[in-house]
């Protein structure tokens, strides 16, 4: 019924009518079948309509990030009446975004009654997510809740022409859309480079053969249109996007000043999420943590410096420190990860783990002094290093940072999401829907 009502409202071209109808008539205001209290006069109904429309985005964000598992929690979190929360949930369900499970949970709701469960709709729309890194590229479809619905096999060589790579990755995403029959709300791309804003250019794709300043967002958007997809297209730095995904769905949940440092396949990146928003600086270039000096006598860096975090703590640095000559069969990240997981006590591997942790700790301590985060999350190889010697890294950071010893140190955790940059790329595409579901989907 709700779906039909919604379709009718959309055919009239008045998206808001879907909410208005539901809230005015009151019949859907309360899914228990109780008439919504107070929906009598026009004024009250209009107020509730405005509140209801304005609450759709915040409500969807709560369900998306797992913070509203029931309608009772949604009501409390939104600070609206039970009737408004019910209407908002029904509208999101009618849009095909969430599912309202009428089988009540065991826990009682705010009024002592069992509350309906809220979940992401199983067959709802998806974002096309794409990631390019030093060892290849991959496409995926990502639904609400950061759920990866389908992934295409990773490709392992990255052409020097960004248009060819982005064309291939969009094609494999479009193929996934055809196979799954899902509706696509937009596309997001993660690249291993700072992305200048507002231009959307990849300023320093150091570990790709791409030209510096390649207009990646424009190229990606053109490929998305060429593939016949209609939604908007976005692009961002891979570690920024990983941090955003972890903040919403993973190891960063609940942190207020979240610092993320990660090494994927080559190089080291950083990101900061403040009050739920990525801090990207005045032109998109903040948190270039890879070029902090952590070993003044260390190896030369492509930035012109020496002993940067970027070249002292990435997978190549680890393999070299462990006395291994990297082979071409799998990515550097996989080779390094395998050594840490399978041979952590072999003497050269152990020495390499400790040397990299000490250098990483020095870099993190400097960042802690400047940024005062309430949590640090580590991605890629750094997460594995942390797990291989959990106490050592915390001790180095506490020892080397100004407030480290007196405050007991900043919690440091490994990232928990598989493919967090891909999930973060999808978050970019989902953002317009999260901000205003009716406007984005109408
Ligand atoms: Zn450098």
């Amino acid at each position: 019924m709700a779906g039909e009502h919604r379709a009718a409202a959309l055919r009239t071209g008045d998206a808001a009518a879907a909410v208005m109808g539901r809230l005015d008539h009151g019949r859907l205001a309360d899914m228990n079948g109780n008439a919504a209290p107070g929906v009598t006069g026009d004024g009250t109904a209009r107020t509730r309509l405005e509140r209801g429309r304005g609450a759709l985005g915040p409500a969807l964000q709560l369900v998306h990030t797992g913070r509203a598992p029931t309608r009772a929690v949604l009501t409390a979190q939104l600070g609206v009446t039970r009737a408004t929360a019910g209407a908002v949930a029904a509208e999101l369900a009618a849009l095909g975004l969430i599912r309202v499970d009428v089988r009540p949970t065991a826990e009682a709701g705010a009024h002592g009654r069992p509350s309906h469960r809220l979940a992401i709709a199983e067959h709802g729309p998806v974002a096309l997510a794409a990631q390019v890194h030093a060892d290849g590229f991959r496409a995926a479809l990502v639904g609400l809740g950061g759920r990866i619905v389908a992934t295409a096999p990773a490709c392992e060589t990255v052409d020097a022409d960004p248009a060819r790579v982005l064309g291939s990755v969009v094609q494999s995403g479009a193929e996934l859309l055809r196979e799954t029959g899902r509706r696509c709300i937009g596309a997001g791309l993660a690249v291993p480079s700072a992305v200048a804003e507002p231009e959307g250019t990849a300023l320093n794709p150091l570990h790709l053969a791409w030209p510096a300043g390649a207009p990646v967002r424009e190229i990606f958007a053109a490929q998305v249109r060429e593939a016949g997809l209609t939604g908007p297209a976005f692009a961002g730095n891979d570690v920024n996007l990983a941090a955003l995904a972890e903040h919403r769905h993973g190891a960063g949940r609940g942190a207020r000043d979240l610092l993320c440092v990660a090494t994927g396949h080559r190089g080291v990146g950083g990101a900061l999420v403040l009050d739920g928003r990525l801090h990207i600086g005045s032109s998109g270039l903040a948190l270039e943590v890879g070029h902090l000096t952590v070993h003044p006598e260390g190896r030369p860096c492509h930035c012109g410096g020496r002993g940067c975090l970027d070249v002292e703590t990435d997978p190549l640095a680890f393999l070299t420190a462990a006395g291994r000559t990297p082979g071409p069969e799998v990515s550097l990240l996989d080779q390094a990860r395998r050594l840490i997981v399978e041979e952590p006590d072999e003497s050269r591997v152990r020495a390499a783990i400790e040397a990299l942790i000490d250098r990483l700790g020095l870099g993190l301590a400097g960042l802690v002094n400047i940024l005062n985060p309430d949590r640090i999350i580590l991605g890629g190889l750094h997460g594995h290093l942390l797990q291989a010697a959990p106490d050592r890294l915390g001790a180095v950071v506490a020892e080397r940072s100004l407030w480290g010893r007196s405050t007991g140190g900043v919690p440091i955790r490994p990232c928990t999401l598989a493919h967090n940059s891909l999930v973060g790329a999808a978050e970019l595409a989902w953002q317009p829907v999260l901000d205003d579901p009716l406007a984005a989907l109408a």
Side-chain angles (χ1 to χ4, degrees), residues 290-316:
H291 302 285
L292 283 173
T293 304
V294 292
H295 187 208
E297 311 304 315
R299 66 197 77 199
C301 179
H302 29 255
C303 73
R306 185 174 276 279
C308 295
L309 201 57
D310 206 78
V311 288
E312 295 290 340
T313 69
D314 79 344
L316 181 60

